[in-house]
Amino acid sequence: MNKKRKIPMRKCIATGEMYPKKELLRIVRSKEGEVSIDPTGKKNGRGAYLLKDKEAVLKAKQKNLLKQHLQADIDESFYDEILAYVEKENIS
């Protein structure tokens, strides 16, 4: 008998909806306050999840959601970096 594996679910900070963890992009703030993209989902630190979708990233940028969730200053260029990563992911 094969057991069904439980699919880990996380909430997107932009849409407020629950998605399987693999469909989301984790943004992490380290103890030093450095904010980065976490493609593995295993880095240490405070994490926030964003849907790998251009609209979700733009909504997060407009409302400055990462600053609220990670309690860290987020540079405008970091959102551009996230957009580039999401677009690259969606192509492949």
Side-chain angles (χ1 to χ4, degrees):
M1 271 200 195
N2 290 339
K3 278 192 171 184
K4 278 195 171 184
R5 289 190 159 241
K6 183 173 175 256
I7 299 170
M9 302 289 279
R10 298 291 184 267
K11 185 185 273 192
C12 173
I13 62 171
T15 63
E17 294 180 39
M18 298 293 281
Y19 294 96
K21 189 176 175 184
K22 290 192 186 309
E23 291 181 22
L24 299 168
L25 178 64
R26 184 170 188 251
I27 312 297
V28 67
R29 175 183 50 92
S30 66
K31 286 189 177 182
E32 295 79 39
E34 186 179 315
V35 179
S36 61
I37 297 173
D38 180 10
T40 63
K42 296 179 181 177
K43 282 187 181 176
N44 288 331
R46 172 93 176 145
Y49 290 88
L50 263 175
L51 187 62
K52 292 179 185 174
D53 177 53
K54 187 177 179 181
E55 299 300 318
V57 176
L58 291 175
K59 185 176 180 181
K61 180 179 182 177
Q62 179 187 0
K63 295 186 175 187
N64 212 359
L65 294 173
L66 285 175
K67 180 178 180 173
Q68 295 169 12
H69 284 267
L70 298 176
Q71 294 145 5
D73 289 329
I74 308 295
D75 196 38
E76 288 286 316
S77 63
F78 185 67
Y79 284 104
D80 298 333
E81 190 180 322
I82 296 170
L83 273 172
Y85 184 87
V86 167
E87 286 175 4
K88 186 181 82 175
E89 282 276 312
N90 289 339
I91 291 171
S92 53

